[in-house]
Amino acid sequence: FEGAVQSLYTKNVYLMALSIRGLFESTAALGFLFSRIDSFKNNNISSIDLDNALMTLLLGTKDKQLLLQEGSGVYEAKNVMKLLDYADKAFSSKVMDNKLPEKNMLRVSYEWLCEFCHPNFHSGALAFQLDKENGVMKFNHQKSSLIARELVIIEQLFIPTFAFLSMHEKTKHLLSTLEANKA
């Protein structure tokens, strides 16, 4: 959150998009964790499955050398898109009581932000402007202000912020009910 706001202040649109995208990824991980805890509470998964989900979040990696080491205790990381799917489902049903018109809002917004973080049209449109009349490309490396299409990116910051904070509170509450049932 802070990185996105600082990037807005310094007019670093690429870093702003990456920072917001990172917040979506953290929100996705929290949504996955919340969904696994909820499944455990409802007896849909075992405590071992819950532990494996937590360990996957903490120790997960895509590093093939680590994954091939026998007995390393390393878990294969979940793909962020799968985590976003878990988070979307949990956020839509458990936080927003199925009142969202877009059931996969986190994933759709994340995918849109990715367009600014990879070398393609949207990221190119941030980096340069084509002056077809004069046959030149003007690079946008010294910005005095951001244009409207760049300011739209910062609006995406509110989606994962609200989702993260809401799911964080729901996760704390869910954990407290598990502790109460144990006592």
Side-chain angles (χ1 to χ4, degrees), residues 10-181:
T10 60
K11 299 170 190 70
N12 188 336
V13 184
Y14 290 111
L15 186 55
M16 183 173 59
L18 285 168
S19 296
I20 297 169
R21 201 175 82 152
L23 184 53
F24 270 95
E25 291 170 358
S26 295
T27 303
L30 180 60
F32 173 73
L33 178 61
F34 174 82
S35 72
R36 300 295 74 206
I37 294 170
D38 188 56
S39 290
F40 173 73
K41 182 181 183 222
N42 293 317
N43 294 315
N44 294 326
I45 64 171
S46 68
S47 60
I48 293 171
D49 292 334
L50 177 60
D51 185 61
N52 284 332
L54 181 58
M55 297 307 285
T56 296
L57 286 176
L58 295 174
L59 301 175
T61 184
K62 294 288 183 181
D63 185 324
K64 292 188 186 333
Q65 289 182 343
L66 282 175
L67 290 169
L68 290 174
Q69 291 177 5
E70 257 184 75
S72 66
V74 176
Y75 293 77
E76 185 169 358
K78 291 262 185 231
N79 176 288
V80 71
M81 302 311 254
K82 288 189 185 299
L83 295 177
L84 282 164
D85 292 340
Y86 275 97
D88 265 323
K89 186 175 181 185
F91 181 68
S92 179
S93 64
K94 302 292 183 176
V95 175
M96 300 304 294
D97 296 322
N98 292 313
K99 294 178 182 161
L100 289 174
E102 180 71 51
K103 299 291 186 221
N104 59 345
M105 174 181 62
L106 296 171
R107 185 179 181 131
V108 168
S109 296
Y110 180 84
E111 288 173 341
W112 182 77
L113 281 169
C114 287
E115 291 295 312
F116 293 92
C117 302
H118 298 293
N120 57 30
F121 174 79
H122 284 299
S123 62
L126 296 177
F128 59 84
Q129 295 173 357
L130 290 176
D131 182 349
K132 291 181 181 180
E133 261 182 47
N134 297 313
V136 295
M137 185 184 302
K138 296 178 185 178
F139 287 93
N140 300 329
H141 63 281
Q142 291 182 326
K143 293 186 178 274
S144 58
S145 63
L146 298 177
I147 59 176
R149 71 172 177 213
E150 296 168 343
L151 289 171
V152 172
I153 295 170
I154 196 67
E155 293 173 4
Q156 299 299 307
L157 180 60
F158 299 106
I159 297 168
T161 301
F162 178 73
F164 186 92
L165 293 173
S166 300
M167 282 194 286
H168 182 266
E169 290 305 309
K170 290 279 188 181
T171 302
K172 283 180 16 182
H173 176 73
L174 191 57
L175 287 171
S176 71
T177 64
L178 291 177
E179 290 173 5
N181 289 342

